[in-house]
Amino acid sequence: MAVEGGMKCVKFLVFIFNFIFWVCGVALVAIGIYAHLALNQALVAGSNSAASSPVAIMVVGIIIFFVSFFGCCGAWKESYCMVTTFAVLLSIIFLVEIAAAIAGYVFKDKVRSVLEEGLWDTMRKYGEDVPLTEAVDKLQEDFHCCGSNNYTDWATLERFRVNNTVPRSCCRVNTTNCNVNPTTSTIYVEGCQKGIEAWMKKNILIVAAVALGIAFFEILGIVFTCCLMKGIRSGYEVM
């Protein structure tokens, strides 16, 4: 059975919206990968709850990617079963996103403590694992920071306190003894936590804008998909 008249327009809109969902899914995956790579140095310490945030964004993007592809096929073939399944899956995704947004707002104050815990765990393992050490060095070099709260945090660790040193990645200019007897003129004094939080606040607007855009199109997609379902079920004729 096919769809005619106004239902052809609905079918076309459903197809277009699914293509937009597909693009949004790709965008979320890209944002998740970017966030994961940018924050990997801070999260590599093993703070699973913090590391799961960019991973969750990627997972949602992948799910939207496949669901939208499923919806495109359903609209193109005018399959009532596929279109119905798509509408149900899209509704579930929308509700999950709403729940995630609420949870994120409720637990936003825990982000700071989780980040600080991750940084301290990383610092304690510094020098014991080569990839981990390299990750910490890259973090401090990229964010121009030293320690978690400030450079004196390294003095709480025995291996640095006995020699009055900090990692060389804390140095403003990397020279032979720049990390020995550190001063505010030779090393970065601000902690990495502040820099990472500033980065997150700056980029959270991008994530929020993308999320709002996706939610808007999801609502429209659900409405038009329901209209298409009704048209297919009514048995109107196509082209």
Side-chain angles (χ1 to χ4, degrees):
M1 290 288 189
V3 185
E4 65 176 356
M7 294 312 299
K8 286 184 180 180
C9 181
V10 174
K11 172 184 173 180
F12 178 74
L13 286 173
V14 171
F15 186 84
I16 293 299
F17 278 125
N18 275 289
F19 178 75
I20 294 175
F21 294 150
W22 182 83
V23 173
C24 289
V26 174
L28 281 178
V29 172
I31 290 174
I33 293 175
Y34 172 66
H36 181 71
L37 293 177
L39 293 177
N40 184 57
Q41 295 81 18
L43 306 176
V44 72
S47 179
N48 294 327
S49 55
S52 62
S53 297
V55 174
I57 294 175
M58 285 187 280
V59 170
V60 171
I62 292 172
I63 292 174
I64 291 178
F65 177 88
F66 284 106
V67 169
S68 62
F69 180 77
F70 188 78
C72 282
C73 293
W76 185 260
K77 294 183 177 181
E78 297 179 23
S79 169
Y80 181 78
C81 180
M82 292 181 71
V83 171
T84 302
T85 303
F86 167 73
V88 172
L89 291 175
L90 190 59
S91 299
I92 292 174
I93 290 174
F94 178 74
L95 292 176
V96 169
E97 288 173 348
I98 295 297
I102 294 174
Y105 179 79
V106 172
F107 296 105
K108 63 179 181 179
D109 293 334
K110 290 189 176 182
V111 173
R112 184 184 182 90
S113 61
V114 169
L115 178 59
E116 184 175 9
E117 179 184 349
L119 287 170
W120 273 105
D121 286 343
T122 305
M123 290 170 58
R124 294 188 189 98
K125 297 174 184 176
Y126 188 89
E128 300 175 358
D129 181 90
V130 175
L132 176 63
T133 301
E134 292 177 349
V136 174
D137 287 336
K138 189 172 187 342
L139 174 71
Q140 296 192 141
E141 291 170 356
D142 290 347
F143 284 87
H144 294 171
C145 57
C146 186
S148 177
N149 298 303
N150 56 62
Y151 75 100
T152 60
D153 292 339
W154 289 106
T156 63
L157 303 178
E158 182 66 23
R159 67 177 71 91
F160 292 102
R161 183 171 62 250
V162 293
N163 298 317
N164 192 23
T165 60
V166 294
R168 290 183 63 178
S169 55
C170 288
C171 296
R172 295 179 182 276
V173 179
N174 198 337
T175 57
T176 305
N177 296 315
C178 64
N179 62 324
V180 180
N181 299 319
T183 63
T184 57
S185 61
T186 59
I187 65 168
Y188 300 116
V189 295
E190 290 190 349
C192 295
Q193 181 177 332
K194 183 177 180 180
I196 295 174
E197 287 178 348
W199 180 90
M200 292 176 70
K201 288 179 180 178
K202 178 182 177 181
N203 289 274
I204 196 64
L205 293 176
I206 298 176
V207 177
V210 172
L212 286 174
I214 292 176
F216 174 73
F217 283 111
E218 282 175 347
I219 294 174
L220 290 179
I222 292 171
V223 172
F224 283 113
T225 301
C226 289
C227 292
L228 181 60
M229 287 165 55
K230 183 179 179 181
I232 294 175
R233 190 169 187 179
S234 298
Y236 289 116
E237 236 183 67
V238 180
M239 317 174 158

